[in-house]
Amino acid sequence: MQERDAELVVVGGGLAGVAAALEAAETGIHVLLLEKLAETGGSSAMCSGCLAFAGTDLQRAQGIEDSDELLFRDLREVGGFENDERIVRAYVRSQLDTYEWLRGKGAEFSPIIEASSGQSVPRVHTVDPADLVRLLERLARATGCVEVLMKTAARRLLRRSAAGRVEGVIAERGGAGLTVTSRRGVILTCGGFSRNAELIHRFAPGYEKAILIGGEGNVGDGLRMAWQLGADLREMAYIKGTFGKHPVDTTNVHPCLAVYKGAIAVNQDGRRFVNESISYKLLGDACLRQPGGCAYQVLDQGIFEQGENQVRLFDFKRRVEERLMLKAESLEQLAAMIEVPRDALLRTVADYNGFVAAGKDPEFDRQHLVHKHGALRRIERAPFYAYPSTAAILGTYCGLCVDETMRVLDVFGQPIEGLFAAGEIVGGLHGGAYMTGSALAKAAIFGRIAARTAAAGV
């Protein structure tokens, strides 16, 4: 068994891990970051690159009025008030500072700010997520205080007694055992368990139809390690699939959310089945209940032109070029292409256009494009488009119970001394649904908070 010593150990090299390592290193703390794969990034690098921030310079440049108060209210509302108010407040208190910290480090955000799931105003700030992780990793290494060990898998948390402080990890590297002791404890940033079908079934039975994707290493390692020490869990009942994943496309993991630009969602009977403005986690639930667990996002040319190719959720043009989004000169032709009853689709679109004109949707009470933002659009101008969609579990959005300083709490609500967590492994922020951008943003926000708490010796 090899042995190493570190001032602080970070387990997992996604955005939360590299943000935590850099934050700690900037205070002079020596960090050992363990990444079990051959490169950093994890699910962070695979995601759509959306971060939810409020009150930014980019929003002001577009005349968007946003605030901490509105962000807090939206997060609580979209989560069905099932999220932890303390954790939501921790996110809100630090979100603008983290945005400015990232900008100061050289992060390049698209100037286009979009509205998406759970947002009363546009607050999707978009980056290339893989570039962002690489940037922070490079800066962390450049401090001279961070060492990254690739292909090193943490297996157990190390403490000297059953109720003692977490003092490091037992890991495996190159087929050999490695014990790393740490004076300031361990920050778990090793993601969720979207690649672990057994755990998904345990906590969310009925999601067998969902596509399981996400970071290759996201099998619940950190969750199990903390669970062994008595860590409590949050929001495990709210694992949900993300609506908008193409059912047979294996190249793109990102969902398409034409519904948030005005499209409607129809099932294989050619009928609407949901209020399309709700969180795409709840849309995923509704989709999986439809025949075959699949639906179609139907839109016209006017809605198509609202797409934004710099934002992966709305890059409609590229999806047509890749023959993922189907295009037809008439609704009759579109119905034939997607094999839904022609008369049913025509009636569904006509009824919906009537609802838009009347200002009232008696079927599903849709009032906005997304959450409380945007006026509805009629579907009437050729050509017409359809995007086959199902639900995919990209992330688990639940996990360890933490306090507002990212200390992991046990089942009695007491901190497990020396153990911290950040990123997807943390529960408490999302509640019953999800705001676009809150997962990637919380990785950076909570990673920095966890590092500061560990640095303070709490």
Side-chain angles (χ1 to χ4, degrees), residues 193 196-208 212 239 393:
F193 51 95
N196 189 322
E198 186 274 327
L199 281 181
I200 292 291
H201 180 73
R202 180 182 301 187
F203 292 113
Y207 267 83
E208 291 78 7
L212 302 186
I239 296 169
I393 296 182

Side-chain angles (χ1 to χ4, degrees), residues 34-345:
L34 310 182
E35 168 55 53
K36 74 176 182 179
L37 300 180
E39 59 183 5
T40 56
S43 287
S44 297
M46 296 176 61
C47 75
S48 56
C50 299
L51 298 97
F53 294 122
T56 68
D57 54 350
L58 292 177
Q59 286 178 306
R60 291 193 298 273
Q62 290 187 212
I64 300 166
E65 294 186 11
D66 203 357
S67 65
D68 284 355
E69 294 76 16
L70 184 57
L71 174 61
F72 176 80
R73 185 163 69 244
D74 282 352
L75 283 166
R76 291 285 279 151
E77 286 181 356
V78 76
F81 299 95
E82 291 292 326
N83 37 15
D84 186 332
E85 183 174 342
R86 300 170 306 158
I87 305 306
V88 177
R89 289 198 184 281
Y91 178 103
V92 172
R93 277 196 302 268
S94 297
Q95 58 90 21
L96 188 55
D97 176 72
T98 295
Y99 165 76
E100 292 170 348
W101 182 79
L102 291 171
R103 287 288 296 266
K105 299 301 181 189
E108 296 183 1
F109 289 88
S110 167
I112 306 299
I113 307 299
E114 294 280 358
S116 192
S117 175
Q119 299 176 3
S120 292
V121 298
R123 62 169 69 100
V124 170
H125 294 68
T126 307
V127 297
D128 183 307
D131 283 352
L132 181 60
V133 173
R134 285 191 290 264
L135 169 67
L136 298 189
E137 180 190 353
R138 185 170 65 252
L139 293 174
R141 288 177 183 268
T143 65
C145 292
V146 177
E147 181 182 358
V148 181
L149 296 184
M150 302 294 190
K151 298 183 180 180
T152 304
R155 300 302 186 194
R156 297 288 190 276
L157 293 166
L158 179 65
R159 59 180 179 179
R160 304 301 178 187
S161 64
R165 179 181 178 84
V166 173
E167 299 178 350
V169 297
I170 299 171
E172 183 179 325
R173 187 172 194 240
L178 172 66
T179 298
V180 182
T181 55
S182 170
R183 294 186 293 282
R184 294 182 183 270
V186 174
I187 304 177
L188 295 175
T189 58
C190 39
F193 51 95
S194 60
R195 289 289 192 120
N196 189 322
E198 186 274 327
L199 281 181
I200 292 291
H201 180 73
R202 180 182 301 187
F203 292 113
Y207 267 83
E208 291 78 7
K209 292 180 181 178
I211 299 171
L212 302 186
I213 48 181
E216 180 184 343
N218 280 25
V219 294
D221 297 337
L223 186 79
R224 290 183 185 275
M225 287 190 289
W227 202 356
Q228 183 185 31
L229 303 192
D232 201 1
L233 307 178
R234 283 292 308 239
E235 300 167 349
M236 309 307 285
Y238 296 112
I239 296 169
K240 297 182 184 300
T242 295
F243 179 70
K245 174 71 178 70
H246 195 288
V248 298
D249 175 34
T250 58
T251 303
N252 301 287
V253 300
H254 313 107
C256 174
L257 294 174
V259 288
Y260 292 160
K261 293 295 186 179
I264 58 173
V266 303
N267 59 21
Q268 292 181 352
D269 296 326
R271 303 183 184 281
R272 291 175 69 216
F273 56 89
V274 71
N275 174 349
E276 294 91 348
S277 71
I278 62 177
S279 168
Y280 53 62
K281 297 297 179 185
L282 302 180
L283 291 175
D285 275 354
C287 178
L288 290 178
R289 291 194 293 267
Q290 301 311 301
C294 187
Y296 301 93
Q297 298 181 65
V298 174
L299 55 152
D300 72 350
Q301 181 63 25
I303 295 170
F304 180 86
E305 291 169 358
Q306 300 303 309
E308 173 51 62
N309 289 328
Q310 296 184 56
V311 180
R312 295 179 183 182
L313 302 178
F314 306 119
D315 56 351
F316 306 152
K317 182 179 179 181
R318 181 179 62 81
R319 293 169 196 261
V320 169
E321 292 171 349
E322 294 177 352
R323 299 184 179 180
L324 299 173
M325 183 176 283
L326 305 175
K327 178 179 179 180
E329 292 305 316
S330 67
L331 285 172
E332 291 87 348
Q333 183 183 5
L334 190 69
M337 292 174 72
I338 63 177
E339 298 182 336
V340 303
R342 183 194 65 177
D343 291 346
L345 181 63

